[in-house]
Amino acid sequence: MDVEKIVVFDLRVANEDRHCNNILLIYVEDKIELIPIDHGYSLPQKEIKGLLCYYQKYGVTLSMCIRRLELLIPSSCFDRLPEKCGSEGGDLEKLGATKLDLKFWDCHFGWLYWPQANESLLPEVVEYVKELDTQKDIEVLIFNGWKVSTECALILKVSTMVLQKATAKGMSPYTIGKIMCRHTFDTQSSTEKIVERA
């Protein structure tokens, strides 16, 4: 059940950072429980400069970053873009880069390759997913003081819809996760294509 709870949560919030180091294993009365941590990349909406710095940290070139992030940068600025970000790299906003809602471009679920991901969801989990009401959830978040941006609300609505429709068809967590994730660096996920066509 722990795995299924994490699966439902991650799919709903389009988690971009659910690698296996973000799931703790604890022992409770001779039983192992899974505790998901670090949800900072949920309902993703980030600034371009931070993302470029992040990817360059891992050896991705600026041109690859631009292609990957599909930045709205005027072509006239291309020859002036810095090869490195940070204080020495200049201000990307001055070069014409704008803030962009990235939505579903980088969902990452470490549990995709666990054996449980290929099993059908339990009937009670299927029923729970069926009854999810995104609008009510957003109202609860706002009532409790969280400022829900239009982009975050849209991500939650679309990802919940994907989860509900896929669950209703009896799809496994693995199959649903593959709908949300990119299969290769430059290939859009099925969810991205659906959003683009909407």
Side-chain angles (χ1 to χ4, degrees):
M1 182 62 105
D2 284 351
V3 173
E4 297 194 339
K5 288 177 182 176
I6 294 170
V7 164
V8 170
F9 175 78
D10 285 346
L11 290 170
R12 285 204 79 196
V13 300
N15 200 333
E16 294 187 341
D17 197 33
R18 180 61 71 220
H19 55 78
C20 293
N21 289 335
N22 279 342
I23 301 176
L24 303 180
L25 277 69
I26 63 169
Y27 287 92
V28 179
E29 297 176 1
D30 297 326
K31 196 172 133 190
I32 295 176
E33 290 189 8
L34 303 177
I35 308 295
I37 61 168
D38 188 0
H39 307 111
Y41 287 95
S42 300
L43 300 176
Q45 180 190 359
K46 308 181 186 70
E47 289 194 13
I48 282 170
K49 185 175 179 182
L51 279 166
L52 289 173
C53 293
Y54 174 83
Y55 277 99
Q56 288 189 324
K57 177 182 171 185
Y58 292 99
V60 179
T61 66
L62 184 62
S63 58
M64 288 172 73
C65 286
I66 292 169
R67 193 169 75 247
R68 173 83 190 263
L69 302 176
E70 300 164 348
L71 301 185
L72 302 178
I73 298 178
S75 56
S76 60
C77 296
F78 244 94
D79 57 345
R80 295 189 290 126
L81 285 172
E83 248 326 293
K84 291 185 178 178
C85 293
S87 57
E88 76 278 13
D91 190 344
L92 288 177
E93 288 179 8
K94 288 179 183 174
L95 296 175
T98 61
K99 195 169 180 179
L100 182 65
D101 171 25
L102 300 173
K103 293 183 180 160
F104 301 97
W105 68 273
D106 199 26
C107 292
H108 177 79
F109 311 125
W111 45 257
L112 266 182
Y113 303 100
W114 294 0
Q116 298 93 326
N118 287 299
E119 297 175 7
S120 299
L121 292 169
L122 294 171
E124 55 264 42
V125 176
V126 173
E127 191 59 33
Y128 169 78
V129 169
K130 181 181 174 184
E131 298 299 321
L132 289 172
D133 186 327
T134 307
Q135 193 53 47
K136 282 185 181 175
D137 290 339
I138 291 170
E139 288 169 8
V140 168
L141 290 171
I142 293 171
F143 179 78
N144 285 283
W146 195 52
K147 216 177 198 182
V148 182
S149 69
T150 303
E151 292 87 354
C152 287
L154 178 62
I155 290 168
L156 186 61
K157 287 180 180 180
V158 172
S159 57
T160 300
M161 178 195 71
V162 169
L163 175 62
Q164 288 177 320
K165 290 186 177 295
T167 301
K169 291 183 178 292
M171 293 183 183
S172 67
Y174 175 84
T175 305
I176 304 170
K178 283 296 189 179
I179 291 170
M180 296 280 288
C181 297
R182 287 190 170 194
H183 296 193
T184 64
F185 190 78
D186 290 319
T187 306
Q188 284 187 317
S189 67
S190 298
T191 302
E192 286 179 281
K193 291 175 184 174
I194 290 167
V195 170
E196 202 171 72
R197 287 199 304 264

